[in-house]
Amino acid sequence: MIQRQNNLLKTIPLTVLGIFLLAACGGGGGKSPKTAPTPIPQTPQVQSPQPQTKSQTPDTGAAGQLPRPSAPNPNKPVVPNVPAKPDDNPPQPPEQPDTGKVQPGQPKAEPPKADENAHDILNKLSLETRHGLVADNTLKMVFNDQGKTVEIDLIRPEDRFIQNNIHTLRDSTGKVTGYYGFTAVNHPIRNDYGEFDGSKVIYHYLQSADAAEMRRPVTDGEISYRGNMYYHYHDTPTDFLTAEVSAKYYGGSKTMSMQIHDDNGGVWTLLQERNPRSSARVNVEESGHVGGHLFFRDNEGNRPVFNGNFTGGFYGANGSVLTGKANHEGKNAWEGVIGAVAQ
């Protein structure tokens, strides 16, 4: 026992000496801390990744390396990334207020198409009197109200209207088929030196209709027409007169009767022949053309006398417009134009 204790006492000093020698060699001659720090285990904290915008740069840390993705949670179920279905009712753009202006990207609305434009109608009508086309370079025909109204205008700026009474003729559908009326123009006269030297008055009784629209009415019954005749006597040209026109078409016999009443109680009656005993119903041709002889009875009850001729026709939808020219040559000569529409 005593021997064992002596051996133990000899061994301990040697062990302590060895430890000091090893410490001196490992320190490289430097001072060692009195007490070595005990390392504290670090538990990594998992943070939910933050969404990054295109302008953001991922944090590379101090070492310039991207951070590692966090470890997946084995207890969290994995949800597959399925693209969202398109909405059955996608949001509609806000309605634009109706300002009457075409919005960008919106197709332009087409204006309603008219049956014919003013240019087409102008080509089918003319400045026409009973003597033919007007060729004195005083008048021109124009259309206003989007081609629905026929008007007569002056060509020369120095001319002036004394009278300008033109009426547009439209059929039962509203389509322009012609016009009738009269004008009186004051035209200055120039002498050989180009100076104004007096003036003269130019009269025109105008009437024209679209020849393609002439047609006889189609009916087994009767159609009444009412309108006017504008006229003047050649010996009193400044007296612009108006008479009332009443006519009737008879579908059974395809004939027409017409009377014209002046302001003094006189009346013209249209007859088939130039005979006061002739029929007061004149034949209407299949084309729609009609004409006859006018006999006048004054307000004193005298027997009717021949006093002019009428030539014209029916125009437009179902012949709903009656128009033409009337005149008388010789003693008490006169001329006029007639326009009437179905009632």
Side-chain angles (χ1 to χ4, degrees):
M1 176 65 70
I2 295 173
Q3 184 63 36
R4 185 177 298 177
Q5 293 177 351
N6 291 331
N7 291 337
L8 182 57
L9 291 175
K10 292 178 181 180
T11 304
I12 291 172
L14 292 175
T15 302
V16 174
L17 179 61
I19 291 173
F20 277 106
L21 290 175
L22 291 174
C25 294
K31 294 182 178 179
S32 60
K34 295 180 179 179
T35 305
T38 303
I40 301 174
Q42 299 291 335
T43 303
Q45 296 182 358
V46 179
Q47 297 181 353
S48 58
Q50 298 296 327
Q52 297 178 356
T53 61
K54 293 182 179 180
S55 60
Q56 291 178 336
T57 304
D59 187 10
T60 57
Q65 297 180 357
L66 292 175
R68 296 181 181 180
S70 58
N73 188 353
N75 298 324
K76 184 178 180 180
V78 178
V79 179
N81 186 14
V82 179
K85 294 183 179 180
D87 192 356
D88 293 336
N89 297 314
Q92 299 295 328
E95 295 184 359
Q96 298 292 335
D98 187 7
T99 60
K101 298 181 179 179
V102 178
Q103 301 295 332
Q106 178 182 355
K108 295 182 179 180
E110 301 216 353
K113 185 178 181 181
D115 292 337
E116 290 181 304
N117 56 37
H119 179 73
D120 295 332
I121 299 174
L122 278 171
N123 287 337
K124 296 179 180 180
L125 303 179
S126 59
L127 285 170
E128 184 179 341
T129 70
R130 69 183 183 90
H131 302 291
L133 298 178
V134 176
D136 56 12
N137 200 33
T138 57
L139 304 175
K140 62 181 178 180
M141 185 168 46
V142 296
F143 283 81
N144 287 329
D145 192 21
Q146 297 181 349
K148 296 180 180 180
T149 302
V150 182
E151 295 184 1
I152 303 300
D153 204 354
L154 296 170
I155 295 177
R156 292 186 288 247
E158 64 268 22
D159 291 345
R160 293 293 182 270
F161 276 122
I162 300 174
Q163 291 284 337
N164 183 18
N165 191 3
I166 301 297
H167 295 271
T168 303
L169 292 169
R170 300 182 182 87
D171 65 11
S172 57
T173 66
K175 183 178 181 180
V176 174
T177 59
Y179 73 95
Y180 76 114
F182 66 94
T183 64
V185 179
N186 184 69
H187 173 61
I189 300 175
R190 295 178 183 268
N191 57 25
D192 295 338
Y193 300 99
E195 300 170 344
F196 289 110
D197 187 13
S199 63
K200 66 177 180 178
V201 179
I202 303 174
Y203 303 93
H204 289 303
Y205 280 79
L206 303 165
Q207 182 270 332
S208 180
D210 183 0
E213 291 294 322
M214 179 183 282
R215 57 178 58 91
R216 185 171 64 187
V218 179
T219 180
D220 293 330
E222 300 175 357
I223 303 176
S224 297
Y225 296 78
R226 298 189 68 85
N228 293 304
M229 178 174 77
Y230 299 109
Y231 69 107
H232 75 167
Y233 288 93
H234 291 176
D235 57 354
T236 56
T238 57
D239 293 337
F240 305 102
L241 304 173
T242 302
E244 293 183 357
V245 175
S246 60
K248 184 173 289 187
Y249 175 77
Y250 304 90
S253 60
K254 297 177 176 57
T255 58
M256 182 196 78
S257 65
M258 182 173 71
Q259 288 189 325
I260 305 169
H261 299 264
D262 68 11
D263 291 338
N264 299 318
V267 56
W268 287 272
T269 301
L270 185 66
L271 302 181
Q272 181 70 43
E273 304 293 339
R274 188 171 173 172
N275 185 332
R277 299 180 181 272
S278 177
S279 172
R281 293 189 182 184
V282 299
N283 295 326
V284 179
E285 299 178 8
E286 184 177 359
S287 64
H289 179 268
V290 63
H293 305 276
L294 293 168
F295 280 76
F296 183 77
R297 181 190 294 271
D298 60 25
N299 57 1
E300 297 177 357
N302 294 319
R303 59 183 298 180
V305 296
F306 172 75
N307 192 243
N309 296 283
F310 168 76
T311 179
F314 293 90
Y315 296 84
N318 199 32
S320 53
V321 172
L322 171 64
T323 184
K325 301 176 180 70
N327 72 286
H328 175 60
E329 299 293 341
K331 186 180 180 180
N332 294 328
W334 59 272
E335 65 178 293
V337 290
I338 290 175
V341 294
Q343 302 300 297

PDB file of all heavy atoms in Angstrom, residues 180-213:
ATOM      1  N   TYR A 180     -91.246  73.718-109.423  1.00  0.00           N
ATOM      2  CA  TYR A 180     -91.909  74.655-110.316  1.00  0.00           C
ATOM      3  C   TYR A 180     -91.965  76.018-109.632  1.00  0.00           C
ATOM      4  O   TYR A 180     -91.872  76.118-108.409  1.00  0.00           O
ATOM      5  CB  TYR A 180     -93.305  74.168-110.705  1.00  0.00           C
ATOM      6  CG  TYR A 180     -94.371  74.328-109.632  1.00  0.00           C
ATOM      7  CD1 TYR A 180     -95.442  75.196-109.808  1.00  0.00           C
ATOM      8  CD2 TYR A 180     -94.319  73.600-108.442  1.00  0.00           C
ATOM      9  CE1 TYR A 180     -96.428  75.350-108.847  1.00  0.00           C
ATOM     10  CE2 TYR A 180     -95.297  73.739-107.477  1.00  0.00           C
ATOM     11  CZ  TYR A 180     -96.345  74.623-107.680  1.00  0.00           C
ATOM     12  OH  TYR A 180     -97.314  74.771-106.706  1.00  0.00           O
ATOM     13  N   GLY A 181     -92.131  77.090-110.431  1.00  0.00           N
ATOM     14  CA  GLY A 181     -92.202  78.425-109.871  1.00  0.00           C
ATOM     15  C   GLY A 181     -91.762  79.460-110.888  1.00  0.00           C
ATOM     16  O   GLY A 181     -91.700  79.192-112.098  1.00  0.00           O
ATOM     17  N   PHE A 182     -91.458  80.653-110.421  1.00  0.00           N
ATOM     18  CA  PHE A 182     -91.080  81.732-111.330  1.00  0.00           C
ATOM     19  C   PHE A 182     -90.059  82.637-110.663  1.00  0.00           C
ATOM     20  O   PHE A 182     -89.948  82.699-109.431  1.00  0.00           O
ATOM     21  CB  PHE A 182     -92.308  82.549-111.757  1.00  0.00           C
ATOM     22  CG  PHE A 182     -92.953  83.316-110.639  1.00  0.00           C
ATOM     23  CD1 PHE A 182     -92.615  84.647-110.391  1.00  0.00           C
ATOM     24  CD2 PHE A 182     -93.904  82.725-109.829  1.00  0.00           C
ATOM     25  CE1 PHE A 182     -93.204  85.357-109.356  1.00  0.00           C
ATOM     26  CE2 PHE A 182     -94.499  83.420-108.793  1.00  0.00           C
ATOM     27  CZ  PHE A 182     -94.146  84.745-108.558  1.00  0.00           C
ATOM     28  N   THR A 183     -89.312  83.359-111.492  1.00  0.00           N
ATOM     29  CA  THR A 183     -88.358  84.364-111.019  1.00  0.00           C
ATOM     30  C   THR A 183     -88.472  85.601-111.907  1.00  0.00           C
ATOM     31  O   THR A 183     -88.831  85.514-113.091  1.00  0.00           O
ATOM     32  CB  THR A 183     -86.909  83.854-111.073  1.00  0.00           C
ATOM     33  OG1 THR A 183     -86.549  83.603-112.432  1.00  0.00           O
ATOM     34  CG2 THR A 183     -86.727  82.580-110.243  1.00  0.00           C
ATOM     35  N   ALA A 184     -88.149  86.736-111.313  1.00  0.00           N
ATOM     36  CA  ALA A 184     -88.010  87.997-112.061  1.00  0.00           C
ATOM     37  C   ALA A 184     -86.705  88.623-111.602  1.00  0.00           C
ATOM     38  O   ALA A 184     -86.493  88.859-110.409  1.00  0.00           O
ATOM     39  CB  ALA A 184     -89.190  88.917-111.791  1.00  0.00           C
ATOM     40  N   VAL A 185     -85.806  88.875-112.550  1.00  0.00           N
ATOM     41  CA  VAL A 185     -84.455  89.345-112.242  1.00  0.00           C
ATOM     42  C   VAL A 185     -84.234  90.716-112.863  1.00  0.00           C
ATOM     43  O   VAL A 185     -84.498  90.922-114.062  1.00  0.00           O
ATOM     44  CB  VAL A 185     -83.402  88.343-112.764  1.00  0.00           C
ATOM     45  CG1 VAL A 185     -81.993  88.845-112.473  1.00  0.00           C
ATOM     46  CG2 VAL A 185     -83.619  86.965-112.150  1.00  0.00           C
ATOM     47  N   ASN A 186     -83.755  91.653-112.044  1.00  0.00           N
ATOM     48  CA  ASN A 186     -83.344  92.968-112.538  1.00  0.00           C
ATOM     49  C   ASN A 186     -81.890  92.878-112.986  1.00  0.00           C
ATOM     50  O   ASN A 186     -80.994  92.648-112.166  1.00  0.00           O
ATOM     51  CB  ASN A 186     -83.510  94.027-111.449  1.00  0.00           C
ATOM     52  CG  ASN A 186     -83.184  95.414-111.955  1.00  0.00           C
ATOM     53  OD1 ASN A 186     -83.900  95.974-112.772  1.00  0.00           O
ATOM     54  ND2 ASN A 186     -82.075  95.976-111.460  1.00  0.00           N
ATOM     55  N   HIS A 187     -81.685  93.061-114.292  1.00  0.00           N
ATOM     56  CA  HIS A 187     -80.339  92.913-114.857  1.00  0.00           C
ATOM     57  C   HIS A 187     -79.825  94.254-115.367  1.00  0.00           C
ATOM     58  O   HIS A 187     -80.387  94.826-116.309  1.00  0.00           O
ATOM     59  CB  HIS A 187     -80.362  91.898-115.998  1.00  0.00           C
ATOM     60  CG  HIS A 187     -79.069  91.796-116.737  1.00  0.00           C
ATOM     61  ND1 HIS A 187     -77.896  91.407-116.134  1.00  0.00           N
ATOM     62  CD2 HIS A 187     -78.751  92.073-118.039  1.00  0.00           C
ATOM     63  CE1 HIS A 187     -76.913  91.418-117.017  1.00  0.00           C
ATOM     64  NE2 HIS A 187     -77.412  91.828-118.182  1.00  0.00           N
ATOM     65  N   PRO A 188     -78.751  94.825-114.748  1.00  0.00           N
ATOM     66  CA  PRO A 188     -78.182  96.094-115.232  1.00  0.00           C
ATOM     67  C   PRO A 188     -77.578  95.928-116.628  1.00  0.00           C
ATOM     68  O   PRO A 188     -77.018  94.879-116.967  1.00  0.00           O
ATOM     69  CB  PRO A 188     -77.110  96.426-114.190  1.00  0.00           C
ATOM     70  CG  PRO A 188     -77.443  95.590-112.999  1.00  0.00           C
ATOM     71  CD  PRO A 188     -78.085  94.356-113.523  1.00  0.00           C
ATOM     72  N   ILE A 189     -77.698  96.989-117.420  1.00  0.00           N
ATOM     73  CA  ILE A 189     -77.156  96.984-118.773  1.00  0.00           C
ATOM     74  C   ILE A 189     -75.937  97.888-118.819  1.00  0.00           C
ATOM     75  O   ILE A 189     -75.950  99.018-118.300  1.00  0.00           O
ATOM     76  CB  ILE A 189     -78.218  97.471-119.787  1.00  0.00           C
ATOM     77  CG1 ILE A 189     -79.437  96.536-119.745  1.00  0.00           C
ATOM     78  CG2 ILE A 189     -77.633  97.521-121.200  1.00  0.00           C
ATOM     79  CD1 ILE A 189     -80.578  97.021-120.630  1.00  0.00           C
ATOM     80  N   ARG A 190     -74.878  97.425-119.451  1.00  0.00           N
ATOM     81  CA  ARG A 190     -73.653  98.220-119.611  1.00  0.00           C
ATOM     82  C   ARG A 190     -73.579  98.765-121.045  1.00  0.00           C
ATOM     83  O   ARG A 190     -73.972  98.090-122.002  1.00  0.00           O
ATOM     84  CB  ARG A 190     -72.416  97.370-119.320  1.00  0.00           C
ATOM     85  CG  ARG A 190     -72.307  96.889-117.866  1.00  0.00           C
ATOM     86  CD  ARG A 190     -71.077  96.007-117.677  1.00  0.00           C
ATOM     87  NE  ARG A 190     -70.982  95.478-116.332  1.00  0.00           N
ATOM     88  CZ  ARG A 190     -70.322  96.073-115.339  1.00  0.00           C
ATOM     89  NH1 ARG A 190     -69.710  97.240-115.562  1.00  0.00           N
ATOM     90  NH2 ARG A 190     -70.274  95.533-114.143  1.00  0.00           N
ATOM     91  N   ASN A 191     -73.045  99.963-121.168  1.00  0.00           N
ATOM     92  CA  ASN A 191     -72.832 100.533-122.503  1.00  0.00           C
ATOM     93  C   ASN A 191     -71.497 100.067-123.063  1.00  0.00           C
ATOM     94  O   ASN A 191     -70.813  99.221-122.469  1.00  0.00           O
ATOM     95  CB  ASN A 191     -72.923 102.062-122.455  1.00  0.00           C
ATOM     96  CG  ASN A 191     -71.914 102.650-121.472  1.00  0.00           C
ATOM     97  OD1 ASN A 191     -70.872 102.052-121.171  1.00  0.00           O
ATOM     98  ND2 ASN A 191     -72.209 103.857-120.968  1.00  0.00           N
ATOM     99  N   ASP A 192     -71.110 100.660-124.196  1.00  0.00           N
ATOM    100  CA  ASP A 192     -69.869 100.236-124.852  1.00  0.00           C
ATOM    101  C   ASP A 192     -68.630 100.557-124.031  1.00  0.00           C
ATOM    102  O   ASP A 192     -67.547 100.004-124.281  1.00  0.00           O
ATOM    103  CB  ASP A 192     -69.758 100.906-126.228  1.00  0.00           C
ATOM    104  CG  ASP A 192     -70.861 100.446-127.175  1.00  0.00           C
ATOM    105  OD1 ASP A 192     -71.411  99.351-126.910  1.00  0.00           O
ATOM    106  OD2 ASP A 192     -71.178 101.172-128.131  1.00  0.00           O
ATOM    107  N   TYR A 193     -68.746 101.448-123.073  1.00  0.00           N
ATOM    108  CA  TYR A 193     -67.607 101.826-122.239  1.00  0.00           C
ATOM    109  C   TYR A 193     -67.559 101.024-120.926  1.00  0.00           C
ATOM    110  O   TYR A 193     -66.729 101.297-120.064  1.00  0.00           O
ATOM    111  CB  TYR A 193     -67.668 103.323-121.916  1.00  0.00           C
ATOM    112  CG  TYR A 193     -67.642 104.196-123.148  1.00  0.00           C
ATOM    113  CD1 TYR A 193     -68.834 104.713-123.655  1.00  0.00           C
ATOM    114  CD2 TYR A 193     -66.445 104.474-123.814  1.00  0.00           C
ATOM    115  CE1 TYR A 193     -68.830 105.511-124.798  1.00  0.00           C
ATOM    116  CE2 TYR A 193     -66.438 105.262-124.949  1.00  0.00           C
ATOM    117  CZ  TYR A 193     -67.630 105.773-125.440  1.00  0.00           C
ATOM    118  OH  TYR A 193     -67.621 106.552-126.571  1.00  0.00           O
ATOM    119  N   GLY A 194     -68.460 100.063-120.795  1.00  0.00           N
ATOM    120  CA  GLY A 194     -68.480  99.234-119.596  1.00  0.00           C
ATOM    121  C   GLY A 194     -69.190  99.872-118.429  1.00  0.00           C
ATOM    122  O   GLY A 194     -69.135  99.344-117.309  1.00  0.00           O
ATOM    123  N   GLU A 195     -69.861 100.985-118.691  1.00  0.00           N
ATOM    124  CA  GLU A 195     -70.582 101.674-117.631  1.00  0.00           C
ATOM    125  C   GLU A 195     -72.041 101.208-117.599  1.00  0.00           C
ATOM    126  O   GLU A 195     -72.608 100.842-118.636  1.00  0.00           O
ATOM    127  CB  GLU A 195     -70.528 103.191-117.859  1.00  0.00           C
ATOM    128  CG  GLU A 195     -69.110 103.758-117.883  1.00  0.00           C
ATOM    129  CD  GLU A 195     -69.108 105.199-118.341  1.00  0.00           C
ATOM    130  OE1 GLU A 195     -70.130 105.637-118.915  1.00  0.00           O
ATOM    131  OE2 GLU A 195     -68.088 105.884-118.123  1.00  0.00           O
ATOM    132  N   PHE A 196     -72.629 101.191-116.386  1.00  0.00           N
ATOM    133  CA  PHE A 196     -74.028 100.805-116.266  1.00  0.00           C
ATOM    134  C   PHE A 196     -74.914 101.877-116.894  1.00  0.00           C
ATOM    135  O   PHE A 196     -74.775 103.085-116.615  1.00  0.00           O
ATOM    136  CB  PHE A 196     -74.408 100.608-114.791  1.00  0.00           C
ATOM    137  CG  PHE A 196     -73.787  99.388-114.175  1.00  0.00           C
ATOM    138  CD1 PHE A 196     -72.786  99.511-113.230  1.00  0.00           C
ATOM    139  CD2 PHE A 196     -74.196  98.124-114.556  1.00  0.00           C
ATOM    140  CE1 PHE A 196     -72.206  98.392-112.668  1.00  0.00           C
ATOM    141  CE2 PHE A 196     -73.632  96.998-113.996  1.00  0.00           C
ATOM    142  CZ  PHE A 196     -72.630  97.128-113.051  1.00  0.00           C
ATOM    143  N   ASP A 197     -75.817 101.427-117.741  1.00  0.00           N
ATOM    144  CA  ASP A 197     -76.694 102.349-118.472  1.00  0.00           C
ATOM    145  C   ASP A 197     -78.101 101.755-118.523  1.00  0.00           C
ATOM    146  O   ASP A 197     -78.515 101.159-119.516  1.00  0.00           O
ATOM    147  CB  ASP A 197     -76.140 102.580-119.879  1.00  0.00           C
ATOM    148  CG  ASP A 197     -76.908 103.653-120.630  1.00  0.00           C
ATOM    149  OD1 ASP A 197     -77.701 104.374-119.986  1.00  0.00           O
ATOM    150  OD2 ASP A 197     -76.731 103.756-121.855  1.00  0.00           O
ATOM    151  N   GLY A 198     -78.808 101.855-117.409  1.00  0.00           N
ATOM    152  CA  GLY A 198     -80.161 101.335-117.341  1.00  0.00           C
ATOM    153  C   GLY A 198     -80.189  99.866-116.946  1.00  0.00           C
ATOM    154  O   GLY A 198     -79.172  99.265-116.577  1.00  0.00           O
ATOM    155  N   SER A 199     -81.368  99.255-117.014  1.00  0.00           N
ATOM    156  CA  SER A 199     -81.545  97.846-116.651  1.00  0.00           C
ATOM    157  C   SER A 199     -82.778  97.286-117.351  1.00  0.00           C
ATOM    158  O   SER A 199     -83.593  98.042-117.912  1.00  0.00           O
ATOM    159  CB  SER A 199     -81.698  97.697-115.132  1.00  0.00           C
ATOM    160  OG  SER A 199     -82.869  98.367-114.686  1.00  0.00           O
ATOM    161  N   LYS A 200     -82.915  95.993-117.296  1.00  0.00           N
ATOM    162  CA  LYS A 200     -84.089  95.316-117.833  1.00  0.00           C
ATOM    163  C   LYS A 200     -84.482  94.188-116.882  1.00  0.00           C
ATOM    164  O   LYS A 200     -83.659  93.692-116.101  1.00  0.00           O
ATOM    165  CB  LYS A 200     -83.814  94.755-119.226  1.00  0.00           C
ATOM    166  CG  LYS A 200     -82.779  93.643-119.254  1.00  0.00           C
ATOM    167  CD  LYS A 200     -82.613  93.095-120.665  1.00  0.00           C
ATOM    168  CE  LYS A 200     -81.567  91.977-120.709  1.00  0.00           C
ATOM    169  NZ  LYS A 200     -81.440  91.411-122.068  1.00  0.00           N
ATOM    170  N   VAL A 201     -85.746  93.780-116.954  1.00  0.00           N
ATOM    171  CA  VAL A 201     -86.258  92.717-116.102  1.00  0.00           C
ATOM    172  C   VAL A 201     -86.400  91.448-116.941  1.00  0.00           C
ATOM    173  O   VAL A 201     -86.986  91.472-118.040  1.00  0.00           O
ATOM    174  CB  VAL A 201     -87.620  93.099-115.480  1.00  0.00           C
ATOM    175  CG1 VAL A 201     -88.137  91.957-114.621  1.00  0.00           C
ATOM    176  CG2 VAL A 201     -87.490  94.359-114.643  1.00  0.00           C
ATOM    177  N   ILE A 202     -85.837  90.359-116.431  1.00  0.00           N
ATOM    178  CA  ILE A 202     -85.888  89.063-117.112  1.00  0.00           C
ATOM    179  C   ILE A 202     -86.830  88.146-116.328  1.00  0.00           C
ATOM    180  O   ILE A 202     -86.644  87.932-115.131  1.00  0.00           O
ATOM    181  CB  ILE A 202     -84.482  88.438-117.201  1.00  0.00           C
ATOM    182  CG1 ILE A 202     -83.522  89.396-117.917  1.00  0.00           C
ATOM    183  CG2 ILE A 202     -84.532  87.100-117.909  1.00  0.00           C
ATOM    184  CD1 ILE A 202     -82.077  88.925-117.919  1.00  0.00           C
ATOM    185  N   TYR A 203     -87.842  87.620-117.029  1.00  0.00           N
ATOM    186  CA  TYR A 203     -88.843  86.763-116.388  1.00  0.00           C
ATOM    187  C   TYR A 203     -88.620  85.310-116.803  1.00  0.00           C
ATOM    188  O   TYR A 203     -88.346  85.028-117.977  1.00  0.00           O
ATOM    189  CB  TYR A 203     -90.257  87.189-116.802  1.00  0.00           C
ATOM    190  CG  TYR A 203     -90.586  88.636-116.505  1.00  0.00           C
ATOM    191  CD1 TYR A 203     -90.393  89.618-117.475  1.00  0.00           C
ATOM    192  CD2 TYR A 203     -91.092  89.004-115.270  1.00  0.00           C
ATOM    193  CE1 TYR A 203     -90.699  90.945-117.210  1.00  0.00           C
ATOM    194  CE2 TYR A 203     -91.402  90.334-114.994  1.00  0.00           C
ATOM    195  CZ  TYR A 203     -91.202  91.295-115.970  1.00  0.00           C
ATOM    196  OH  TYR A 203     -91.517  92.609-115.706  1.00  0.00           O
ATOM    197  N   HIS A 204     -88.776  84.424-115.833  1.00  0.00           N
ATOM    198  CA  HIS A 204     -88.683  82.990-116.140  1.00  0.00           C
ATOM    199  C   HIS A 204     -89.740  82.234-115.340  1.00  0.00           C
ATOM    200  O   HIS A 204     -89.791  82.347-114.106  1.00  0.00           O
ATOM    201  CB  HIS A 204     -87.297  82.429-115.772  1.00  0.00           C
ATOM    202  CG  HIS A 204     -86.198  82.896-116.668  1.00  0.00           C
ATOM    203  ND1 HIS A 204     -86.206  82.717-118.033  1.00  0.00           N
ATOM    204  CD2 HIS A 204     -85.034  83.561-116.390  1.00  0.00           C
ATOM    205  CE1 HIS A 204     -85.111  83.225-118.560  1.00  0.00           C
ATOM    206  NE2 HIS A 204     -84.382  83.746-117.580  1.00  0.00           N
ATOM    207  N   TYR A 205     -90.572  81.484-116.052  1.00  0.00           N
ATOM    208  CA  TYR A 205     -91.486  80.542-115.398  1.00  0.00           C
ATOM    209  C   TYR A 205     -90.894  79.157-115.592  1.00  0.00           C
ATOM    210  O   TYR A 205     -90.830  78.647-116.706  1.00  0.00           O
ATOM    211  CB  TYR A 205     -92.890  80.668-115.974  1.00  0.00           C
ATOM    212  CG  TYR A 205     -93.618  81.853-115.384  1.00  0.00           C
ATOM    213  CD1 TYR A 205     -93.351  83.142-115.848  1.00  0.00           C
ATOM    214  CD2 TYR A 205     -94.509  81.685-114.337  1.00  0.00           C
ATOM    215  CE1 TYR A 205     -93.975  84.238-115.291  1.00  0.00           C
ATOM    216  CE2 TYR A 205     -95.152  82.780-113.765  1.00  0.00           C
ATOM    217  CZ  TYR A 205     -94.872  84.051-114.246  1.00  0.00           C
ATOM    218  OH  TYR A 205     -95.499  85.140-113.675  1.00  0.00           O
ATOM    219  N   LEU A 206     -90.447  78.595-114.482  1.00  0.00           N
ATOM    220  CA  LEU A 206     -89.606  77.399-114.512  1.00  0.00           C
ATOM    221  C   LEU A 206     -90.376  76.184-114.005  1.00  0.00           C
ATOM    222  O   LEU A 206     -91.132  76.271-113.038  1.00  0.00           O
ATOM    223  CB  LEU A 206     -88.356  77.603-113.650  1.00  0.00           C
ATOM    224  CG  LEU A 206     -87.482  78.809-114.024  1.00  0.00           C
ATOM    225  CD1 LEU A 206     -86.506  79.124-112.900  1.00  0.00           C
ATOM    226  CD2 LEU A 206     -86.739  78.533-115.322  1.00  0.00           C
ATOM    227  N   GLN A 207     -90.139  75.045-114.645  1.00  0.00           N
ATOM    228  CA  GLN A 207     -90.726  73.775-114.202  1.00  0.00           C
ATOM    229  C   GLN A 207     -89.892  72.644-114.778  1.00  0.00           C
ATOM    230  O   GLN A 207     -89.535  72.644-115.962  1.00  0.00           O
ATOM    231  CB  GLN A 207     -92.180  73.649-114.667  1.00  0.00           C
ATOM    232  CG  GLN A 207     -92.899  72.387-114.215  1.00  0.00           C
ATOM    233  CD  GLN A 207     -92.731  71.233-115.224  1.00  0.00           C
ATOM    234  OE1 GLN A 207     -92.550  71.462-116.419  1.00  0.00           O
ATOM    235  NE2 GLN A 207     -92.779  70.000-114.726  1.00  0.00           N
ATOM    236  N   SER A 208     -89.553  71.685-113.909  1.00  0.00           N
ATOM    237  CA  SER A 208     -88.778  70.527-114.351  1.00  0.00           C
ATOM    238  C   SER A 208     -89.059  69.354-113.423  1.00  0.00           C
ATOM    239  O   SER A 208     -89.317  69.547-112.226  1.00  0.00           O
ATOM    240  CB  SER A 208     -87.276  70.844-114.356  1.00  0.00           C
ATOM    241  OG  SER A 208     -86.520  69.724-114.792  1.00  0.00           O
ATOM    242  N   ALA A 209     -89.041  68.148-113.991  1.00  0.00           N
ATOM    243  CA  ALA A 209     -89.266  66.926-113.206  1.00  0.00           C
ATOM    244  C   ALA A 209     -88.370  65.813-113.742  1.00  0.00           C
ATOM    245  O   ALA A 209     -87.964  65.837-114.909  1.00  0.00           O
ATOM    246  CB  ALA A 209     -90.733  66.502-113.259  1.00  0.00           C
ATOM    247  N   ASP A 210     -88.082  64.881-112.873  1.00  0.00           N
ATOM    248  CA  ASP A 210     -87.232  63.740-113.231  1.00  0.00           C
ATOM    249  C   ASP A 210     -88.000  62.826-114.177  1.00  0.00           C
ATOM    250  O   ASP A 210     -88.976  62.185-113.792  1.00  0.00           O
ATOM    251  CB  ASP A 210     -86.822  63.000-111.958  1.00  0.00           C
ATOM    252  CG  ASP A 210     -85.872  61.844-112.235  1.00  0.00           C
ATOM    253  OD1 ASP A 210     -85.529  61.610-113.418  1.00  0.00           O
ATOM    254  OD2 ASP A 210     -85.468  61.176-111.260  1.00  0.00           O
ATOM    255  N   ALA A 211     -87.557  62.761-115.438  1.00  0.00           N
ATOM    256  CA  ALA A 211     -88.266  61.958-116.446  1.00  0.00           C
ATOM    257  C   ALA A 211     -88.327  60.483-116.064  1.00  0.00           C
ATOM    258  O   ALA A 211     -89.289  59.784-116.403  1.00  0.00           O
ATOM    259  CB  ALA A 211     -87.595  62.122-117.809  1.00  0.00           C
ATOM    260  N   ALA A 212     -87.310  60.006-115.330  1.00  0.00           N
ATOM    261  CA  ALA A 212     -87.304  58.600-114.927  1.00  0.00           C
ATOM    262  C   ALA A 212     -88.374  58.291-113.888  1.00  0.00           C
ATOM    263  O   ALA A 212     -88.703  57.124-113.649  1.00  0.00           O
ATOM    264  CB  ALA A 212     -85.931  58.218-114.382  1.00  0.00           C
ATOM    265  N   GLU A 213     -88.926  59.350-113.253  1.00  0.00           N
ATOM    266  CA  GLU A 213     -89.946  59.161-112.223  1.00  0.00           C
ATOM    267  C   GLU A 213     -91.368  59.310-112.765  1.00  0.00           C
ATOM    268  O   GLU A 213     -92.331  59.232-112.007  1.00  0.00           O
ATOM    269  CB  GLU A 213     -89.728  60.155-111.081  1.00  0.00           C
ATOM    270  CG  GLU A 213     -88.484  59.902-110.251  1.00  0.00           C
ATOM    271  CD  GLU A 213     -88.568  58.606-109.484  1.00  0.00           C
ATOM    272  OE1 GLU A 213     -89.673  58.285-108.991  1.00  0.00           O
ATOM    273  OE2 GLU A 213     -87.552  57.905-109.374  1.00  0.00           O
TER     274      GLU A 213
END
